[in-house]
Amino acid sequence: MKKWMKFEFLIIIFSLGAVSLESCAQNEKKTAPEKDTTTEETTPKAKKTLASNFKEYWYSGTAELTSYTLDQDRYGEMRGGNAVLIYVTEPFLADKQVKADGSNVDNIPVLKLNSTKNYITGIYPYSLMTSSFYPVHDDAHAVKLSFSAQEWCGHIYAQLNNREQFDVVSHSYFEREADQNFTLEKSILENEIWNKIRINPSNLPLGTSEVIPSLEYIRQTHKPLKAYTATMRIDAKNDSISTFTMSYPELERTLKIDFTKAFPHTIEGWSETYSSGYGDKAKILTTTAIKNKLIITPYWQQNKNSDLFLRDSLGL
């Protein structure tokens, strides 16, 4: 009997010890640091190192705003107006593809360009805006593009998201365009060229390739949104300025962008030549934009009436 009691006592002691060991193991598991996921197997390909002057210029907590005097063709006539290019860096959510509200390891650092145009056609005004979000590491296509046009006839909106393919959604008040949702095979985006120039013009695509024209051109001319064959080259305009030229034979359209050879490769102006108007009244016209003024400022904080003078600084 005594031997049995001793044996039973030993079993109880062993059981308590086992429970204690299991409990310690669980606590150790809970308090142990998360597994380091920055191993060679899980780390994406190395990002290109950003130059110190790039970081100093683009990560100063400000944005670059440049105004241009615009001579815009529309309906076969030239229209005076203004354009503004707003460049700024920001974190971008990889999955939702919108600006991130906070820090996240999955955020994509992008150079954002908001390009605006305003001009008058007869009695009514046009207001256009294109946004392009391009990785600062210059290692992929633009993450996202969007375009909107407002005028008295109605609204037009188009958006392209870079996922497994290019996902496109488009809305228009025109019956033949209406509401569309489709995909495109990935190819060069004309809209991303404006960002690539500012990051590293030596990495611009050259030669003949399939290119998706700007969302503005496609929606304003009611052309099918798809890739077209384009030829690209860079020429020296003078000692300090280079010109990137993109020509689309099928569209009979040529875009030229002038930019400074030296960093930060500011956009000095551009021209765009194609057929404007309809039917027998169509003619080849050239839109031009000439640089007016440039300021560096955190514009998103300057929304008071006392900040109106800054528009004078931009010549607006």
Side-chain angles (χ1 to χ4, degrees):
M1 184 68 176
K2 290 182 178 179
K3 290 182 178 180
W4 173 253
M5 290 178 65
K6 288 181 179 180
F7 179 72
E8 190 175 35
F9 178 76
L10 289 172
I11 291 176
I12 292 172
I13 295 299
F14 178 79
S15 300
L16 290 172
V19 171
S20 177
L21 288 172
E22 183 180 358
S23 178
C24 289
Q26 288 177 345
N27 288 337
E28 183 180 358
K29 184 177 181 180
K30 288 180 182 178
T31 58
E34 294 181 2
K35 182 180 178 182
D36 184 3
T37 58
T38 60
T39 62
E40 184 177 351
E41 290 80 9
T42 59
T43 303
K45 63 180 181 179
K47 300 293 186 182
K48 294 181 180 179
T49 302
L50 300 178
S52 57
N53 60 348
F54 184 93
K55 292 179 181 179
E56 291 171 4
Y57 190 85
W58 290 114
Y59 287 94
S60 61
T62 58
E64 180 197 270
L65 285 66
T66 311
S67 63
Y68 300 83
T69 300
L70 181 67
D71 196 17
Q72 175 74 45
D73 73 88
R74 192 67 179 145
Y75 304 126
E77 295 183 80
M78 302 307 298
R79 324 287 179 155
N82 62 71
V84 180
L85 299 185
I86 304 101
Y87 282 99
V88 65
T89 52
E90 64 184 25
F92 214 61
L93 284 176
D95 53 351
K96 294 183 179 180
Q97 297 194 349
V98 293
K99 181 182 178 181
D101 290 333
S103 177
N104 190 300
V105 294
D106 294 328
N107 286 349
I108 302 172
V110 300
L111 177 62
K112 177 178 71 174
L113 168 60
N114 283 337
S115 172
T116 68
K117 285 183 176 182
N118 291 275
Y119 54 90
I120 304 293
T121 57
I123 192 175
Y124 62 95
Y126 266 80
S127 179
L128 312 180
M129 180 169 173
T130 304
S131 296
S132 55
F133 306 84
Y134 188 79
V136 298
H137 294 287
D138 197 18
D139 59 353
H141 287 298
V143 185
K144 180 179 179 180
L145 306 176
S146 64
F147 167 76
S148 62
Q150 301 82 40
E151 39 98 359
W152 287 3
C153 293
H155 293 283
I156 293 176
Y157 181 80
Q159 179 173 304
L160 181 150
N161 290 84
N162 183 354
R163 302 192 188 281
E164 291 186 10
Q165 294 179 296
F166 287 153
D167 294 341
V168 180
V169 60
S170 180
H171 302 285
S172 172
Y173 60 85
F174 288 108
E175 179 184 359
R176 64 179 178 274
E177 295 171 354
D179 300 324
Q180 302 179 50
N181 197 325
F182 57 95
T183 61
L184 291 172
E185 293 296 324
K186 293 186 180 181
S187 57
I188 297 168
L189 296 163
E190 179 184 314
N191 285 113
E192 69 192 8
I193 295 296
W194 300 77
N195 305 68
K196 288 176 70 68
I197 287 174
R198 304 306 310 276
I199 295 172
N200 183 11
S202 65
N203 200 32
L204 286 166
L206 300 176
T208 301
S209 298
E210 294 299 296
V211 179
I212 298 174
S214 73
L215 296 183
E216 176 189 336
Y217 169 78
I218 290 294
R219 294 298 75 176
Q220 293 296 88
T221 58
H222 312 293
K223 302 287 186 183
L225 180 52
K226 64 176 186 177
Y228 297 82
T229 300
T231 301
M232 295 159 284
R233 70 176 192 272
I234 296 178
D235 301 302
K237 188 171 185 177
N238 53 44
D239 291 341
S240 61
I241 296 177
S242 292
T243 301
F244 178 83
T245 300
M246 177 178 284
S247 300
Y248 299 85
E250 180 181 349
L251 299 174
E252 297 182 302
R253 173 176 176 258
T254 299
L255 172 69
K256 295 183 177 183
I257 306 172
D258 295 334
F259 61 93
T260 56
K261 296 179 180 179
F263 183 84
H265 311 300
T266 53
I267 306 296
E268 298 299 296
W270 67 89
S271 66
E272 183 181 7
T273 302
Y274 61 88
S275 179
S276 178
Y278 303 99
D280 296 337
K281 295 182 179 180
K283 61 184 73 172
I284 300 296
L285 295 176
T286 299
T287 291
T288 59
I290 300 174
K291 183 180 175 182
N292 188 2
K293 297 183 179 181
L294 182 154
I295 63 173
I296 306 295
T297 187
Y299 68 89
W300 54 89
Q301 300 173 2
Q302 298 160 335
N303 49 27
K304 300 180 180 63
N305 286 332
S306 58
D307 297 318
L308 283 170
F309 76 94
L310 292 169
R311 294 186 62 81
D312 293 332
S313 300
L314 279 170
L316 298 175

